[in-house]
């Protein structure tokens, strides 16, 4: 019974925190909604109204990608997987991930250890060349991830983060 009481207390605390997050971001406290809020704040992305967009979340407002569409995904673990729709895809995928799946823990902390920017057309071409099944949970090889990395190591020179953007991402690193 003690464990059940403790669990009930923890769930109440979580519900309180989720409510505060939802109030802050103006949407439910789901991982992708929070990720979109973080991305909009750091990368200056304007998100379009749900239901009015197809295959993307919003557009970059400034910099070298201004006006380009982007799909933002926040994955709790850097597990090599992406969700890709073939019927409608963005110009870019911005992927935020936690650490690689090397831990034996059952917990999946909400953290951002890496950020990646994929050109969607180039990514799709590379996946098709390899004969990869494309859809929800598409497996992307390590070299593609490495070339797309913008944080913490700026390997992708198409989008170089400012010191301020790097500091903001670091706030979410576990």
């Amino acid at each position: 019974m003690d464990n059940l009481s403790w669990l009930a207390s923890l769930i109440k605390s979580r519900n309180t925190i989720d409510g505060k997050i939802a109030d802050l971001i103006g949407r439910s406290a789901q991982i992708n909604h929070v990720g979109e809020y973080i991305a909009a704040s750091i990368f200056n992305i304007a998100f379009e109204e749900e239901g009015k967009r197809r295959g993307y979340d919003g557009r970059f407002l400034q910099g070298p990608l201004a006006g380009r569409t982007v799909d933002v995904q926040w994955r709790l673990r850097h597990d090599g997987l992406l969700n890709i729709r073939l019927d409608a895809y963005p110009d870019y995928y911005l992927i935020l991930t936690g650490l690689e799946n090397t831990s034996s823990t059952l917990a999946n902390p909400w953290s951002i250890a890496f950020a990646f920017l994929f050109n969607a057309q180039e990514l799709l071409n590379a996946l098709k060349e390899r004969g990869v099944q494309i859809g929800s949970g598409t497996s992307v090889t390590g070299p593609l991830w490495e070339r797309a990395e913008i944080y913490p190591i700026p390997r992708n020179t198409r989008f170089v983060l400012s010191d301020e953007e790097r500091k903001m991402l670091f706030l979410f690193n576990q």
Side-chain angles (χ1 to χ4, degrees):
M1 187 65 170
D2 287 339
N3 283 345
L4 200 54
S5 295
W6 178 237
L7 178 59
S9 175
L10 291 172
I11 289 173
K12 287 177 186 174
S13 296
R14 180 181 177 144
N15 290 341
T16 299
I17 291 169
D18 282 355
K20 290 178 181 183
I21 291 171
D23 288 344
L24 177 70
I25 69 171
R27 298 174 74 186
S28 64
Q30 296 174 13
I31 187 78
N32 272 332
H33 292 167
V34 177
E36 289 169 2
Y37 182 87
I38 292 167
S41 300
I42 295 174
F43 299 102
N44 203 4
I45 297 170
F47 285 91
E48 298 188 14
E49 191 177 326
E50 280 192 74
K52 299 225 176 189
R53 53 186 160 51
R54 185 164 170 89
Y56 64 93
D57 296 313
R59 295 179 184 275
F60 289 99
L61 293 177
Q62 66 183 31
L65 304 180
R68 300 294 187 126
T69 59
V70 61
D71 177 40
V72 176
Q73 297 178 29
W74 187 6
R75 303 193 58 86
L76 298 178
R77 299 267 184 204
H78 180 34
D79 57 7
L81 301 177
L82 283 181
N83 293 325
I84 299 175
R85 291 176 51 178
L86 276 178
D87 62 332
Y89 54 88
D91 295 319
Y92 289 90
Y93 290 99
L94 176 61
I95 312 300
L96 310 172
T97 76
L99 294 171
E100 292 185 39
N101 201 10
T102 57
S103 173
S104 62
T105 180
L106 295 176
N108 287 310
W110 287 28
S111 68
I112 300 172
F114 300 95
F116 304 90
L117 184 72
F118 291 95
N119 176 291
Q121 190 60 60
E122 291 173 8
L123 176 62
L124 286 170
N125 290 343
L127 294 172
K128 287 176 183 176
E129 281 178 19
R130 287 186 32 239
V132 172
Q133 181 81 13
I134 297 174
S136 180
T138 300
S139 178
V140 177
T141 63
L144 293 173
W145 285 101
E146 190 172 304
R147 284 195 297 268
E149 186 176 351
I150 59 173
Y151 174 84
I153 300 171
R155 300 177 203 264
N156 182 344
T157 57
R158 278 192 187 149
F159 195 87
V160 178
L161 299 177
S162 69
D163 287 340
E164 184 63 23
E165 290 165 332
R166 295 177 65 71
K167 286 177 188 174
M168 287 188 279
L169 280 170
F170 186 75
L171 293 172
F172 297 95
N173 199 342
Q174 225 21 37

